[in-house]
Structures are given as structure tokens and as C-alpha cells.
Amino acid sequence: MAHLVAVLALEGAIAFELGIPARIFGNAKDDAGRPLYQVATCTLDGGPVATSADFRIAVDHGPELLERADTVVLPASHDSDPDLADAPFTPELAAALRRIRPGTRLMSICTGSFLLAAAGLLDGRPATTHWRYTELFARTFPKVLLDPDVLYTDDGDILTSGGVAAGVDLCLHVVRRDHGSAVANAVARNCLVPPWRDGGQKQYVEAPSPVTSGGTGTGTGTAAVRAWALEYLEEPLPLRRLADRAGMSVRTFTRRFREETGASPGQWITTQRTERARQLLERTDLTIDQVARRSGFGTGTSLRLQLRGRLDVAPSAYRRTFRTPA
């Protein structure tokens, strides 16, 4: 009998995330072409729900489906959108989750992890969520072992994914775990998605604004020095050179810099060099060594170490993912 995957659609379900389990698990077949999973969608009362788009969905199942499920998936929805005051972990949702049999595998996609956490199911366990909401998640659920950088987490019977398409990565991972790489790769080929993505969420995080605060002239703050440094990132930028440019002692400059940016000068420069390297990888045909020199990392080896440490991805893999076609 095929493994039953129940997808719980809440009011305001985000259509893309809601469709991921059916698309991925529904394409998994054995050597004879038989489905390995049965995917069914339910709601809290069996009635239709509005989506985040301009349509509603009608389902064939109510919460009783959860009692038979081998895997339960909670996709993101407006009801689990942490931008809303008081994430609505309603009595109806709590009652539905109590129907799930012990040992049933639980999965969340994107901010669906907020609902698992609100139910207390993630306490003491690794989890992730969309990178935009990791700070809020950490404040709201301090008992959860949040990993903000990964695409997904696997703690055996509870798995969580980062935002949006990371749900695809998670579902492919589950297929791979259940039935091996050959089946997962076949699903990926059929869906025209990579069977495995390098790196984590950090490579998708928006870069901070490089010059954000402080004075506008030499001697009044560090903003002018930061603006100057952005023009000379490929050159050596030792702390003494920056402090002299600002007309301050090294100690005063370092203190002012941290007050205005929240980072040390060295940390800030490395962040800006990383952002410069990202832009060059995305927008130019420069070699890895040329990108390294122009961004101030000096050598391709240094650039590889920095991107691997900061973005969990190699420069070549980053370029393949983000390169803008000519």
C-alpha cells in the first residue's frame, strides 16, 4: 500500500507551497511505474479554504484524514504568517493535530514551522524556517534548536524546511531517504529541478546596505570612510589606514565604527567584499581568480574559503545558481 501523505491546508494557504508535496511525492514511482505515495489534502473542517492567490480550493477530506496519514505536511499559509499579530494556533488546529498518530512523520514548509513550534513539537529539536523570519522565530520559540542557514532539517520523525522552494528540497530529501537516490533523481528530472542544491539559505539572504549611519564628513563619524572603502575594496584596507582616513585614533575609530554599524571594521569589510564577489559572479564572465582580486580577497582559494564559510557554497556553484543570462 502506498505511503499516505496528508497535506493540511489552512485558510490563506500559499498555493505554491501547498502544491509541492503533490508534485514531488506524486511523481515518485517504483520500477513497475506504481505510485510510492498517495497524496491527499485536507482542511480543518473538510470545507473549502481561501488561498493567498485569487482562488479558493475545495478538498475531499477533513481532519479525519490525519488519523490515517503516514506523513503530515504543514505548508505555509497566511494563518501561519508571522507578520500577523498572534500566530493563530487555534483550538481547531490543536484538535486536528491531536488526531495524528504517535510516530507519524511531520513536515513543515516555510513558515509552517511556526505552527509545529507553537504546538510544542519542536522543543529541544533542530528546525528551520524562512530566513526573513528566523530572528522572530528564535525570540518566540527559544526552546527550539533553530538553524537559520540550512535549506531543511531532518530530525527523524520531524522535518522542517526554509522558505518556498526549500520545500522542494525537503520533499526530494524525503523521497531519497525513503527510496534511494535513483527514485529521487527521477522525480527531480521529471519536475525539471536539481536533485540536490549546494549551500543553504545564506546565499539567498539580501545583503545589508553598506553605508547606513554615522556622520557625513571626516571627523564626524565613519560613514564617509565606509563610502570611501567601497571604492577601494580590492586594495589592502588595514585598520590603521581606515582610522587615519577618518582622522581618529585606532581605538576611537573602532569604537565609533561598531556603534554605527554593529560590526568591527574587519567584519564589515569582509561582508562588503563578499557582496562585491557575489555581484561579480552574477553579472560578469570574470574567472574566479579575477573575481577574488577585484573583490579584495586576493586569490581564488581565499574567495572559496570565504564563500564556503559565509554562504555554504562554492563560487562556481553560486554562479551557476544566480548568473543572469546574457
Side-chain angles (χ1 to χ4, degrees):
M1 182 178 296
H3 181 108
L4 177 58
V5 177
V7 182
L8 180 57
L10 301 176
E11 193 71 20
I14 299 177
F16 182 86
E17 284 91 325
L18 182 63
I20 289 173
R23 193 63 175 166
I24 300 300
F25 292 121
N27 272 281
K29 295 178 173 56
D30 63 16
D31 291 339
R34 294 183 295 261
L36 293 169
Y37 300 92
Q38 175 191 354
V39 184
T41 305
C42 65
T43 61
L44 293 178
D45 59 3
V49 295
T51 70
S52 62
D54 62 342
F55 56 84
R56 298 172 64 81
I57 60 168
V59 300
D60 294 330
H61 305 282
E64 69 281 353
L65 178 71
L66 303 176
E67 299 172 4
R68 300 189 287 111
D70 300 298
T71 294
V72 173
V73 183
L74 274 69
S77 70
H78 285 326
D79 272 358
S80 58
D81 187 335
D83 278 342
L84 298 177
D86 300 325
F89 187 75
T90 63
E92 292 78 13
L93 176 57
L97 295 180
R98 286 196 295 270
R99 290 174 174 263
I100 299 172
R101 296 173 299 168
T104 299
R105 182 164 58 195
L106 301 177
M107 298 171 57
S108 67
I109 297 176
C110 195
T111 56
S113 55
F114 275 75
L115 298 177
L116 291 179
L121 298 171
L122 296 180
D123 288 355
R125 307 187 71 158
T128 193
T129 193
H130 193 293
W131 63 265
R132 286 187 182 278
Y133 305 115
T134 52
E135 291 186 5
L136 174 61
F137 188 99
R139 291 196 305 271
T140 307
F141 305 110
K143 294 182 180 179
V144 180
L145 306 179
L146 179 69
D147 188 338
D149 299 329
V150 297
L151 292 174
Y152 56 81
T153 63
D154 180 347
D155 195 36
D157 59 338
I158 296 185
L159 303 92
T160 64
S161 80
V164 195
V168 175
D169 298 288
L170 176 60
C171 291
L172 283 172
H173 166 75
V174 170
V175 173
R176 187 180 302 109
R177 195 180 86 173
D178 289 350
H179 300 288
S181 294
V183 175
N185 291 348
V187 172
R189 285 194 297 271
N190 192 53
C191 295
L192 295 178
V193 297
W196 180 270
R197 279 198 290 170
D198 288 330
Q201 294 195 72
K202 285 188 288 188
Q203 60 185 309
Y204 301 94
V205 176
E206 294 175 342
S209 175
V211 181
T212 57
S213 62
T216 57
T218 301
T220 61
T222 68
V225 176
R226 280 177 273 142
W228 172 83
L230 290 175
E231 298 180 10
Y232 295 92
L233 283 176
E234 60 191 83
E235 297 185 8
L237 293 173
L239 183 56
R240 168 60 66 183
R241 184 181 182 187
L242 298 173
D244 287 348
R245 181 79 186 179
M248 303 178 190
S249 68
V250 168
R251 181 176 181 179
T252 298
F253 178 79
T254 301
R255 176 176 55 80
R256 290 269 189 91
F257 199 100
R258 187 175 290 278
E259 289 172 352
E260 295 171 12
T261 69
S264 71
Q267 291 169 334
W268 184 88
I269 289 171
T270 300
T271 297
Q272 305 318 316
R273 284 174 168 161
T274 301
E275 177 59 19
R276 176 70 55 80
R278 291 170 69 164
Q279 293 173 1
L280 293 172
L281 290 169
E282 292 176 21
R283 303 171 187 176
T284 74
D285 293 319
L286 296 173
T287 66
I288 300 302
D289 285 338
Q290 289 172 327
V291 169
R293 287 193 294 271
R294 292 200 184 185
S295 58
F297 287 119
T299 67
T301 298
S302 179
L303 175 61
R304 291 182 184 93
L305 288 173
Q306 288 294 335
L307 259 65
R308 180 64 71 180
R310 286 175 165 260
L311 305 182
D312 294 329
V313 68
S316 57
Y318 183 89
R319 171 170 272 168
R320 285 195 301 271
T321 301
F322 290 99
R323 177 61 193 272
T324 302

